[in-house]
Amino acid sequence: MKKQYFKNLLWGVLLLAGGLMSSCSNEDSKEETATSGSRIITMKIGQSFNEQARGGIAKPDTIYQKLDNGMEMTAIVEQDGVADSRATTKELVKPGTVVYAIVMDENKKILKKSYITVDANNELSISAPASEDVQVLLYSNNSTSNPSSYDFPGNGSYLDDNCQILTSSFAPKDEMFAHTGIISAGTTNLGTVVFKHALSQVRVSLSYEGGITDFDALTNLISNGSANINVYTLELERGGGLVGVANIGKSDSPVEVLESPYWNFIPRNDGEPIEFRFIRLNNVSIDPIKPVYITTPFLPGCRYTIHLRVKKES
């Protein structure tokens, strides 16, 4: 009898554990299928940076400096894409990107939340009630990692207009959001839905005819340390002091133009000039380092390139 009792007890624990694992994984679903009373809403997923931001760079910020090692440096700060001012460049979000989808009714009451992966056709397929008007808020870090769901309320709660999430420059992510607006009952295809980037990105593109294998630069105190992002308007409530962005480029063989990766940052809005330091070229330190100051107003949702040209003095 005791053996049978413990056997039944073991099966009961296993079944309970299985049920708990199933319930915990509901929000982690990467693929959705229609069930009774539901529909699958399909949409192509794009992304765009704010290339027409009001108050952006009308004329590139250009800085000249002579270095003590017999070279001279020119730095030109440009907002990417501004040359084609009549059109905002849209890119498709890559397959495998994870999106947190929050399905709401027309009054923004949360009906369900789930993680969904962008498929090979750059599309998302989201399950929603078939006979009810809905709207969907989409949130992603533009990566294959799950974005945090910590700041969002639970099912049955309302995702009001003041909802914010916290982001930090100490672990910068490409926070981006999209809102579908109201989707009428029965609609199953939305065409293309475009994510907007909440933060900014910056990189350095270095040109040197002598050949480049590596360089280090620092855009000092360009970013706030943290910010709360409004999930609908993408307005930033800044805090957390100020931090810099390291711009590092590496190449396996010498090249004449070398770019650092884009780096996400929370653009400060106090109007103060930004200190830029060219630190190292081809594993040789620039000594002494002479800071220059960028007066360009870096704006949220924009992407910037600091074009750096170094040459021997003529």
Side-chain angles (χ1 to χ4, degrees), residues 41-278:
I41 302 173
T42 303
M43 62 197 78
K44 188 79 78 173
I45 299 298
Q47 59 175 311
S48 70
F49 281 89
N50 186 9
E51 295 169 356
Q52 301 178 55
R54 189 176 298 276
I57 304 175
K59 183 179 180 181
D61 198 356
T62 303
I63 305 161
Y64 302 95
Q65 186 185 74
K66 288 189 176 182
L67 306 176
D68 285 359
N69 59 0
M71 294 185 177
E72 56 186 36
M73 179 186 79
T74 305
I76 301 175
V77 183
E78 291 186 326
Q79 182 179 322
D80 294 1
V82 169
D84 185 10
S85 60
R86 294 187 298 174
T88 297
T89 304
K90 295 181 178 67
E91 304 172 8
L92 291 176
V93 174
K94 293 180 180 178
T97 300
V98 178
V99 175
Y100 191 53
I102 303 175
V103 180
M104 302 170 282
D105 68 12
E106 58 185 348
N107 297 311
K108 297 183 179 176
K109 180 179 179 180
I110 298 174
L111 304 177
K112 61 169 291 189
K113 300 177 292 180
S114 57
Y115 290 105
I116 308 172
T117 302
V118 178
D119 67 19
N121 297 314
N122 311 96
E123 293 182 344
L124 278 184
S125 297
I126 301 172
S127 173
S131 58
E132 185 176 349
D133 289 355
V134 297
Q135 53 188 309
V136 183
L137 180 77
L138 303 173
Y139 167 46
S140 178
N141 292 331
N142 207 12
S143 74
T144 56
S145 300
N146 287 359
S148 173
S149 60
Y150 179 80
D151 291 317
F152 294 99
N155 291 347
S157 301
Y158 289 86
L159 196 67
D160 62 43
D161 293 342
N162 297 317
C163 181
Q164 297 177 319
I165 67 160
L166 178 65
T167 189
S168 170
S169 281
F170 298 98
K173 298 173 182 175
D174 187 5
E175 313 273 14
M176 58 183 195
F177 299 83
H179 182 225
T180 64
I182 300 297
I183 307 169
S184 301
T187 299
T188 58
N189 194 310
L190 296 187
T192 300
V193 174
V194 179
F195 274 100
K196 293 182 179 180
H197 298 261
L199 307 183
S200 297
Q201 294 185 348
V202 66
R203 68 175 176 179
V204 169
S205 176
L206 175 62
S207 172
Y208 176 52
E209 292 181 355
I212 315 162
T213 56
D214 62 85
F215 72 84
D216 292 6
L218 175 68
T219 316
N220 197 29
L221 304 184
I222 190 176
S223 176
N224 284 96
S226 63
N228 287 306
I229 307 171
N230 183 292
V231 301
Y232 293 109
T233 66
L234 308 193
E235 290 180 1
L236 302 177
E237 189 177 280
R238 296 167 174 84
L242 298 172
V243 297
V245 169
N247 310 107
I248 300 172
K250 292 186 180 298
S251 175
D252 293 333
S253 58
V255 292
E256 290 191 2
V257 178
L258 182 60
E259 296 174 344
S260 71
Y262 281 106
W263 192 262
N264 301 298
F265 69 99
I266 303 165
R268 52 193 286 190
N269 64 343
D270 56 9
E272 292 295 319
I274 306 297
E275 181 185 271
F276 179 78
R277 300 180 183 183
F278 183 39

